Amino acid sequence: MKTTAIIFFLGITTTVMSQTIPLEEFSQYPQAEISNDHVTMILMLPDFEKGSYRATRFDWSGIISSLKYNGHEYVEYWKTTHDPLIHEDLSGPAESSNMPGLGFDEAKPGGKFIRLGVGTLERPDDKPFETFKTYKILDHGEWEVKKGDDWISFQQSLSSDIGYGYVYTKKIQLKPDEPGFKIIHTLENKGNKAIETDQYNHNFFIIDGAGSGPSIEVEFPYGISTENDLSDKMKIEGAELKFLRDFKKGESIWMELQGYSKDLDDHLVTVRNVKSGAGLSFGIDKPLSKMVFWACQTTYCPENFIMLEVEPGATETWTSDYTLFTE
């Protein structure tokens, strides 16, 4: 298999298309394509000068801008505007952490803290962490990207003078025998402080251009419930989330879901477009620590959380598994 290396040393017509920026508009940014007999995937590459995403909320690696199987599209960019420095201006399965970052609570104004997959950031003042704020990046670490025909890997190496350091690798491998892919994570703690953080995937699905509405259904392997108000937007039927109507521009919904256990079988979500018959299922080989669902007019996002605890000198691995299907 032909392999190339890209190294950065950083010192179907759709309903949504008219409401969002098309993929072609992102051709100016560094990107790569992988494919096999089943799936074609386009990914945006980390680049501190030219990358399509340079904010500090989400991990810069593994940002998927297009995911196609059997004539169906599962991912699109979901907004009508784009700015690489805006916290949410990205697409596809996109990973992040709800926690402020390593060392944030201890940092004084002007001090340092770290976001996994982003770099060493500056805490500008004594205000609490702001999830949607783009912080000043003091050190991007060293990024290395390698790819083959049906896989791509991202590696960020970062050291600091606040006790934290790591080598974080994310490899996306298309499945050879069925439509889908795996995201294989490895986090090696190179510092002298433990790495303790959550991680979640926002996902940002748009299946065959359908926005949030009755054509989209979300299913879990357990009976779900929530204490959040669903209003006239959605309803829960046993293990399923269903939209009651099409969302209008500016509308959104957020809920935290209960009902799961620590059983790995509970870490599974299925999202389908009942009109086009396309859908996908995904999960991680670690127990859920939290499950959130958010949707706006254009995208619907089951957000699955895990916890990471890596002692100095130790290595943690975990794998996300996505299977695509048509009915």
Side-chain angles (χ1 to χ4, degrees):
M1 180 180 296
K2 181 181 178 181
T3 300
T4 59
I6 310 163
I7 302 177
F8 302 97
F9 295 102
L10 309 181
I12 308 183
T13 303
T14 70
T15 306
V16 169
M17 188 60 69
S18 63
Q19 304 163 0
T20 60
I21 297 175
L23 179 62
E24 291 77 13
E25 296 295 320
F26 290 85
S27 61
Q28 61 183 301
Y29 299 111
Q31 56 189 268
E33 179 178 311
I34 59 175
S35 64
N36 63 9
D37 292 339
H38 306 292
V39 172
T40 299
M41 180 187 293
I42 299 175
L43 303 104
M44 310 309 293
L45 302 180
D47 188 311
F48 80 102
E49 292 182 333
K50 301 178 181 179
S52 66
Y53 186 77
R54 305 194 294 273
T56 57
R57 179 183 176 189
F58 287 96
D59 178 351
W60 287 15
S61 65
I63 297 170
I64 299 171
S65 59
S66 176
L67 176 62
K68 293 182 178 180
Y69 161 61
N70 197 26
H72 297 272
E73 176 68 83
Y74 296 80
V75 171
E76 295 179 37
Y77 183 71
W78 62 282
K79 296 183 68 178
T80 58
T81 59
H82 177 257
D83 182 337
L85 298 180
I86 298 296
H87 74 96
E88 63 183 10
D89 284 17
L90 75 173
S91 61
E95 294 176 316
S96 184
S97 170
N98 256 8
M99 293 183 176
L102 306 174
F104 180 87
D105 292 336
E106 297 80 21
K108 300 182 184 299
K112 301 174 182 178
F113 69 103
I114 291 171
R115 296 278 293 173
L116 185 65
V118 179
T120 302
L121 315 181
E122 180 181 82
R123 181 174 185 175
D125 48 44
D126 59 1
K127 295 180 180 178
F129 179 74
E130 299 175 60
T131 301
F132 301 157
K133 178 183 177 68
T134 295
Y135 289 85
K136 180 180 179 180
I137 302 177
L138 302 174
D139 182 8
H140 301 86
E142 181 180 297
W143 281 99
E144 182 176 357
V145 180
K146 298 179 180 180
K147 71 176 290 293
D149 294 337
D150 61 354
W151 63 271
I152 187 167
S153 69
F154 307 84
Q155 185 174 91
Q156 184 195 33
S157 301
L158 185 73
S159 59
S160 74
D161 57 5
I162 58 172
Y164 294 103
Y166 60 77
V167 176
Y168 174 49
T169 305
K170 181 187 296 185
K171 181 179 181 180
I172 298 180
Q173 174 73 64
L174 302 184
K175 297 180 181 180
D177 300 322
E178 63 177 333
F181 61 97
K182 293 184 178 183
I183 307 177
I184 305 160
H185 310 74
T186 304
L187 179 60
E188 184 178 0
N189 189 341
K190 292 286 192 178
N192 55 38
K193 292 183 178 179
I195 295 175
E196 297 182 3
T197 184
D198 62 352
Q199 188 191 60
Y200 72 94
N201 200 321
H202 209 295
N203 284 302
F204 292 116
F205 296 128
I206 302 176
I207 302 177
D208 287 336
S212 295
S215 64
I216 299 299
E217 295 183 352
V218 186
E219 184 177 3
F220 302 83
Y222 48 86
I224 56 174
S225 63
T226 184
E227 296 180 359
N228 298 98
D229 182 14
L230 305 187
S231 186
D232 66 338
K233 298 174 182 175
M234 300 191 74
K235 65 177 180 179
I236 292 174
E237 288 187 353
E240 290 188 271
L241 268 176
K242 295 185 177 182
F243 290 90
L244 295 174
R245 58 174 175 80
D246 292 326
F247 278 21
K248 300 174 183 178
K249 184 177 180 179
E251 284 190 316
S252 65
I253 193 168
W254 184 94
M255 68 188 82
E256 183 172 348
L257 298 175
Q258 288 87 41
Y260 61 86
S261 70
K262 294 297 183 179
D263 191 323
L264 291 183
D265 289 341
D266 279 358
H267 201 147
L268 184 70
V269 184
T270 299
V271 184
R272 63 172 57 85
N273 181 330
V274 296
K275 288 186 177 179
S276 74
L280 61 107
S281 297
F282 69 94
I284 302 182
D285 59 355
K286 288 179 71 70
L288 277 166
S289 64
K290 186 177 180 180
M291 176 59 76
V292 168
F293 182 83
W294 176 83
C296 67
Q297 183 187 26
T298 57
T299 185
Y300 21 92
C301 310
E303 303 173 27
N304 50 327
F305 288 69
I306 62 172
M307 290 299 302
L308 301 172
E309 298 181 5
V310 191
E311 294 297 324
T315 299
E316 178 77 12
T317 62
W318 65 102
T319 299
S320 306
D321 191 311
Y322 288 73
T323 300
L324 313 180
F325 61 84
T326 57
E327 297 176 341

